[in-house]
Amino acid sequence: MRDLKSQPELAELIQKEMDGVLTDAEFLRLQGILKADPEAVDYYVKTVLAISLLASPSPVSFMEGEAGSLADSPSDSALWKALAEEEKLAPTVVPEVAEQPASQKLIAKVEYETTLRRVNKTSFLIAAISTAALICLIAYVQTAPRLVREPVATLTDSLNAAFAGGESYRAGSRLYNGKESLRLERGMIEVEFDYGAKVVIEAPAEFRMESAEKMVLQAGRLYARVPGSAKGFMVDTPGSSVIDLGTEFGIHVDADGTTDVHMFEGKASLISGTKGQTKESEELTAGQARRVDPSGLVREIRKAESLFVRSFDSESRFVWKGQSLDLSDVVGGGNGFGTGQLNRGVNPLAGSVEMLTEVTASIRGPAAYQPVKDNPLIDGVFVPGSGTAPVQVSSAGHLFENCPQTNGEFWGGVINGAWHEAEVVKIPRHTLRLDGKAYGKAEASSIYMHANQGITFDLEAIRRQTGVGAASFTARCGISESLHDYAGQLRAWQGGWHEIKPEDSRADFYVLVDGEVRFAARDVSILDKGIPVRVVLSAKDRFLTLAATQGTDPWKNTNDWTLFAEPRLVLHE
Amino acid sequence: MARERYQGESEQPKDAAFFQLFMASQRNLYAYILASVHNYNDANDLLQETAIVMWRKFDEFDRETNFVAWGVAIARNLIKSYFNSRQYSHLQFDAELMEVIEERTLSQMKQDDRRMEALKVCYEKLSESNRQLIRLRYTEGKTIKSIAVQLGKPIQGMYKTISRLQDSLLRCIERNLMEKGTA
């Protein structure tokens, strides 16, 4: 086999090509040579491969100078030294275009902001042995400063937000990368980065964006939600970096630079240590939290449950710190977070929300489903069995197919509270109880819906109002223990008065989602005590219905003091 | 030679696996990208972009398959967008030539380790001033114009000097490879 033939013209064209200074004519000449001669292609490919070897050194570099010394000790500390050096990089060489006559067009307007040096550093980083270097690689690759100022994120919402310097940002404002920090003095903002990460930042805070997937938090508090597709999102703080690996986390940075990281979901890498030190990296998972003090020391701390604003809605002014939504509060006319009133509820006769403190006897309900207009979070109420089957349970027409037959009567209304009285048999007004606990107060809320009643909540309206979705519904249901207290007075009318015992009363509890039964407890008696309920919900679910019916005992709905205690929607973004 | 499989158990944590695979492949990926876009700076940027995309998509990668080939496929797409988004996409080699170059590059890349050894030997044979030129050109990544300026020499002459140096270095490498029976 002969020696590779020397091809000086081709070699020169290749060099110009590498610098991006080929003229159109030269480019066509190059292409012509390559197309005409397979040996030329061979030469071209081998040259490019040789260049690629020269330009990206292997772990044991034979070249003296920077690359050589850095390659001597592949280890974490050398990596960080390299990074540190990168930060002190000499001014970038900006290659200029060689002068060309006006008639010839130039291939590239040469304004390269990166130099080959960057690839060298990347290669070196990759060449180091330690596996923690991968994290460094990600960090490094994202740290490479972009000298071009460009938008990298959008402000998607703000509540009472005020920035130092009086800049005003509105929903939709684009945020740019840059060296200057933004100072949020009041309120909170939500930012969505171009690569997908969503961050809520609470005042007082000082921060800046570095790229579409990296930000720096110098002080203040943030909560980040990073979808899997935006893995690699990074937050730098004074003494650490958090690299997301598909997760949700909150970070709080104190005035002195102490950084707390709380993991809510998924995994993230925490890299701690200040410049010049050997850095530590630790993988954190949901439920863990760490504090990095200004000297770089890391210790375990307890993960906070409701410290961070995770989501907010400027229209409804709702701020979510992870708390669950109380449906009793909704029944009381509220938003689920305490704006409702005790002993307020829904009157099934008209679907109106009103105070329900004066009630007399069991009365016949309306045949049709009653939409509730007074509270957008409630879709409607109904008295199962008062009309013809099947029973409508939502304004969209969902039906409770196998709703049991009832006498079509109800007592009281659907109430945010837990009181009952029956004057006719001299049972005084008293507070209802389950498992020894009295309900109908702020700390122990409940929905009292004496059989036969049902109420439907609009999950979509809740989602719209809060900006978060419901992950599940939880509650305890049962017949009030207070039946025992009045054991001697319990009577049912059926052609005459009959004395009955507390345990003779039976009732059914149902939880439906879009008309489908997801929980059923039939013929429950006082002996069953409180029954835990948990129904998992999804984003597709629209209507949540709670219902209580009279059971199969002969006494129909008498003494069916049926309670849904602590009915909650566990929320989830 | 890029290893076809990473070493170690398949139980290896994802980070370490990716790292190991990428370490073995990045030189090849860079070579492929450089051959396709034929200028340094864009090749650098594309290598970084490719690394990020590969990291992001690593869950989709079937560890029984060839990592470099997967990386090349990703790089190919990024290169396509790169050409589509530039005003001078008409200065891209035509599709037929691109295919030939790609095929030859992928095949020549297999001899990477031996080429590296040969390169070391040939580099040692260079004079100190030539080694300096190589360092300026490749390690420091300076353009020929800036090297000429730095050394106080005429620009056009510098193209000739460096391209001749590259040519002789290349021929030395190929001779070396042939002697070892691999050309």
Side-chain angles (χ1 to χ4, degrees):
Chain A
M1 229 187 245
R2 342 173 249 135
D3 272 1
L4 187 72
K5 199 172 74 184
S6 183
Q7 304 218 29
E9 189 196 358
L10 185 51
E12 199 177 321
L13 287 170
I14 293 172
Q15 289 298 321
K16 288 188 175 171
E17 193 192 25
M18 288 296 150
D19 280 351
V21 298
L22 275 180
T23 63
D24 275 18
E26 284 170 330
F27 173 79
L28 291 172
R29 171 87 189 122
L30 171 61
Q31 184 168 247
I33 294 174
L34 293 174
K35 283 184 82 88
D37 183 5
E39 274 191 35
V41 174
D42 225 39
Y43 183 96
Y44 175 84
V45 165
K46 286 171 176 172
T47 300
V48 171
L49 287 176
I51 291 175
S52 75
L53 289 176
L54 288 162
S56 55
S58 68
V60 181
S61 177
F62 53 87
M63 289 192 260
E64 312 92 308
E66 265 184 351
S69 60
L70 286 174
D72 283 346
S73 50
S75 71
D76 261 359
S77 56
L79 278 171
W80 292 109
K81 222 187 341 183
L83 272 182
E85 282 174 20
E86 182 64 42
E87 288 167 54
K88 308 186 252 135
L89 202 56
T92 306
V93 171
V94 179
E96 279 145 351
V97 175
E99 278 85 67
Q100 294 289 338
S103 58
Q104 288 175 316
K105 257 193 318 191
L106 298 166
I107 284 192
K109 180 163 188 305
V110 182
E111 254 178 10
Y112 301 119
E113 281 125 0
T114 60
T115 64
L116 194 54
R117 273 183 85 179
R118 196 156 282 123
V119 167
N120 287 353
K121 290 291 201 283
T122 307
S123 322
F124 168 75
L125 290 172
I126 293 165
I129 311 296
S130 153
T131 58
L134 172 69
I135 307 296
C136 304
L137 165 65
I138 306 283
Y140 173 77
V141 162
Q142 293 172 355
T143 302
R146 298 202 59 114
L147 303 178
V148 178
R149 191 171 140 78
E150 52 175 11
V152 295
T154 311
L155 188 105
T156 46
D157 204 356
S158 73
L159 185 62
N160 299 331
F163 285 87
E167 301 144 73
S168 70
Y169 292 96
R170 266 172 286 112
S173 291
R174 294 284 279 151
L175 301 172
Y176 288 73
N177 60 354
K179 294 277 168 216
E180 329 86 53
S181 303
L182 291 169
R183 226 184 245 116
L184 183 67
E185 287 181 339
R186 243 185 30 234
M188 56 191 78
I189 60 172
E190 184 182 71
V191 173
E192 187 170 334
F193 284 78
D194 287 358
Y195 280 1
K198 290 199 182 125
V199 178
V200 172
I201 303 173
E202 295 175 64
E206 192 173 328
F207 60 95
R208 65 168 204 272
M209 317 293 169
E210 259 201 29
S211 73
E213 51 187 356
K214 182 169 175 208
M215 68 173 282
V216 178
L217 180 68
Q218 283 127 330
R221 189 181 299 167
L222 68 75
Y223 187 82
R225 278 193 311 276
V226 188
S229 53
K231 233 188 299 215
F233 177 71
M234 192 157 109
V235 180
D236 266 2
T237 68
S240 66
S241 293
V242 181
I243 301 179
D244 170 270
L245 300 168
T247 187
E248 289 190 23
F249 56 84
I251 302 183
H252 179 94
V253 179
D254 248 344
D256 68 354
T258 300
T259 300
D260 288 354
V261 180
H262 299 255
M263 292 298 302
F264 283 77
E265 283 218 11
K267 302 192 292 188
S269 265
L270 171 66
I271 300 177
S272 54
T274 50
K275 290 194 178 46
Q277 287 179 329
T278 305
K279 306 219 178 186
E280 305 264 322
S281 96
E282 187 186 354
E283 193 174 278
L284 300 180
T285 53
Q288 296 185 302
R290 296 283 183 272
R291 168 164 295 171
V292 184
D293 72 20
S295 69
L297 199 64
V298 182
R299 44 171 244 271
E300 237 180 86
I301 55 173
R302 155 106 48 90
K303 176 195 151 234
E305 285 313 316
S306 44
L307 178 64
F308 297 93
V309 173
R310 300 203 227 165
S311 171
F312 65 89
D313 186 278
S314 55
E315 262 182 54
S316 61
R317 304 189 75 75
F318 171 65
V319 173
W320 189 52
K321 290 190 174 191
Q323 62 275 38
S324 56
L325 188 147
D326 183 354
L327 287 171
S328 332
D329 185 72
V330 174
V331 165
N335 62 1
F337 298 99
T339 59
Q341 251 182 305
L342 204 53
N343 295 331
R344 201 175 182 81
V346 187
N347 184 338
L349 291 175
S352 49
V353 174
E354 54 194 63
M355 290 306 288
L356 292 168
T357 48
E358 297 303 323
V359 185
T360 48
S362 192
I363 51 181
R364 185 141 190 96
Y369 181 76
Q370 299 295 310
V372 170
K373 293 182 188 47
D374 295 340
N375 186 338
L377 305 184
I378 303 177
D379 183 62
V381 286
F382 58 98
V383 175
S386 59
T388 49
V391 179
Q392 182 182 352
V393 296
S394 82
S395 53
H398 294 96
L399 300 172
F400 182 179
E401 298 276 339
N402 296 313
C403 182
Q405 296 254 348
T406 74
N407 64 359
E409 288 182 14
F410 72 97
W411 183 99
V414 179
I415 305 172
N416 171 26
W419 68 269
H420 186 86
E421 90 178 27
E423 217 191 305
V424 71
V425 290
K426 307 236 185 324
I427 292 177
R429 183 170 299 203
H430 66 279
T431 304
L432 304 174
R433 294 195 315 274
L434 267 187
D435 299 326
K437 189 166 167 182
Y439 285 94
K441 38 192 191 203
E443 326 75 80
S445 63
S446 60
I447 297 175
Y448 180 41
M449 57 171 107
H450 187 297
N452 300 286
Q453 293 182 87
I455 181 167
T456 299
F457 299 94
D458 187 341
L459 295 173
E460 211 173 273
I462 288 171
R463 217 172 282 133
R464 262 201 314 273
Q465 177 126 312
T466 60
V468 277
S472 63
F473 165 73
T474 62
R476 280 190 94 78
C477 63
I479 295 181
S480 173
E481 289 170 355
S482 55
L483 274 179
H484 284 306
D485 303 347
Y486 305 103
Q489 289 153 259
L490 301 176
R491 280 177 190 66
W493 176 268
Q494 191 142 265
W497 284 113
H498 297 258
E499 281 190 18
I500 52 180
K501 298 202 274 296
E503 55 269 25
D504 288 343
S505 286
R506 296 274 187 279
D508 290 359
F509 293 87
Y510 296 96
V511 178
L512 298 92
V513 176
D514 293 337
E516 207 188 279
V517 175
R518 296 280 190 86
F519 171 88
R522 296 189 178 88
D523 280 339
V524 169
S525 87
I526 198 176
L527 300 174
D528 294 309
K529 302 197 167 282
I531 301 171
V533 185
R534 183 169 177 268
V535 172
V536 173
L537 300 166
S538 79
K540 302 186 266 86
D541 298 332
R542 171 94 197 261
F543 296 107
L544 176 73
T545 303
L546 307 181
T549 57
Q550 67 191 38
T552 56
D553 60 302
W555 317 115
K556 312 235 193 293
N557 71 332
T558 304
N559 296 325
D560 287 341
W561 299 354
T562 45
L563 207 59
F564 274 96
E566 305 204 85
R568 300 250 186 287
L569 286 181
V570 175
L571 300 176
H572 197 304
E573 176 52 39
Chain B
M1 168 63 193
R3 294 184 204 92
E4 302 230 336
R5 296 166 103 99
Y6 67 93
Q7 289 173 349
E9 298 307 301
S10 55
E11 298 314 309
Q12 213 177 5
K14 198 187 117 176
D15 295 356
F18 180 81
F19 163 72
Q20 213 167 0
L21 286 163
F22 198 84
M23 170 175 76
S25 326
Q26 64 94 18
R27 217 165 56 200
N28 286 344
L29 289 172
Y30 180 67
Y32 170 77
I33 295 172
L34 187 59
S36 308
V37 305
H38 40 73
N39 87 70
Y40 277 150
N41 289 286
D42 293 346
N44 296 346
D45 287 349
L46 284 166
L47 176 66
Q48 286 187 17
E49 274 183 54
T50 304
I52 294 177
V53 174
M54 287 172 81
W55 165 244
R56 285 226 184 85
K57 292 185 165 217
F58 191 52
D59 284 328
E60 296 169 25
F61 172 67
D62 176 355
R63 295 194 193 183
E64 303 296 304
T65 62
N66 186 306
F67 188 77
V68 173
W70 180 62
V72 161
I74 289 175
R76 194 184 292 123
N77 280 329
L78 290 171
I79 289 166
K80 255 193 223 135
S81 331
Y82 157 85
F83 277 123
N84 286 339
S85 71
R86 298 283 182 134
Q87 309 126 298
Y88 43 92
S89 56
H90 63 288
L91 294 168
Q92 176 185 357
F93 287 144
D94 70 30
E96 199 196 308
L97 180 56
M98 283 288 266
E99 252 186 67
V100 173
I101 290 176
E102 182 177 311
E103 188 253 306
R104 297 295 299 150
T105 303
L106 288 170
S107 128
Q108 286 292 328
M109 261 163 42
K110 297 199 177 103
Q111 297 187 50
D112 205 49
D113 287 350
R114 295 191 196 112
R115 184 169 281 110
M116 190 64 181
E117 286 306 307
L119 175 55
K120 262 189 241 182
V121 168
C122 294
Y123 179 82
E124 296 302 320
K125 291 191 188 153
L126 293 176
S127 69
E128 178 49 42
S129 58
N130 278 341
R131 275 191 247 163
Q132 191 206 17
L133 283 177
I134 295 284
R135 279 202 302 277
L136 285 172
R137 180 73 177 125
Y138 300 116
T139 315
E140 295 185 38
K142 301 209 157 149
T143 59
I144 289 183
K145 177 176 175 182
S146 62
I147 294 173
V149 166
Q150 180 176 333
L151 300 177
K153 303 263 170 73
I155 296 168
Q156 205 48 43
M158 190 54 68
Y159 276 105
K160 286 207 160 28
T161 306
I162 292 197
S163 58
R164 277 195 215 124
L165 176 54
Q166 178 67 56
D167 179 273
S168 80
L169 189 59
L170 179 67
R171 285 185 303 126
C172 171
I173 291 170
E174 291 303 307
R175 232 178 359 250
N176 197 278
L177 282 176
M178 249 198 329
E179 276 160 25
K180 302 270 174 8
T182 56

